[in-house]
Amino acid sequence: MDKIILAALDPANRTLTQFFDSVAQPPSSDTVQTVAWLRDLLQFISAHKANAVLDYGGNNVAKVRMVETTPTIADTMEQEGVALIAAYVLTPRVDDLAPLVTF
């Protein structure tokens, strides 16, 4: 089985690091730096056809900024042979639907 890259991107709460070792994460909580780091990670994933689980956290800041700055990222990765799958964990709170409305 191929190794899976785990990445925690929430600027304030990188909970994934509490459950797994070797979780990749941006060097800071700065949104601009996080998006740049995410862009590099996605390019690496595309180039190496790697498997990854990206935990954006509850606020989705990095994902929103990435889509704003590179709106064709999903199409580009798909053309490069990388399938993107999104999984949203929802609770009964209506606020959990807010990120879905954004996209």
Side-chain angles (χ1 to χ4, degrees):
M1 177 181 221
D2 291 336
K3 183 177 177 182
I4 296 174
I5 299 167
L6 299 174
L9 296 154
D10 190 293
N13 190 6
R14 296 183 177 164
T15 309
L16 197 61
T17 62
Q18 296 173 13
F19 296 98
F20 299 98
D21 295 327
S22 302
V23 174
Q25 53 188 317
S28 80
S29 295
D30 177 72
T31 303
V32 173
Q33 290 181 2
T34 298
V35 171
W37 185 89
L38 174 58
R39 187 174 294 114
D40 290 345
L41 176 62
L42 292 175
Q43 288 173 348
F44 177 87
I45 290 168
S46 289
H48 294 88
K49 306 297 186 263
N51 296 312
V53 174
L54 309 180
D55 179 6
Y56 290 96
N59 65 20
N60 289 300
V61 172
K63 185 169 33 173
V64 170
R65 296 280 192 255
M66 177 58 112
V67 171
E68 288 173 349
T69 60
T70 316
T72 61
I73 188 73
D75 292 334
T76 301
M77 291 182 76
E78 193 169 318
Q79 290 170 1
E80 293 173 356
V82 178
L84 299 176
I85 300 169
Y88 293 91
V89 180
L90 304 173
T91 69
R93 299 179 315 165
V94 174
D95 290 344
D96 285 349
L97 299 174
L100 297 178
V101 172
T102 303
F103 296 107

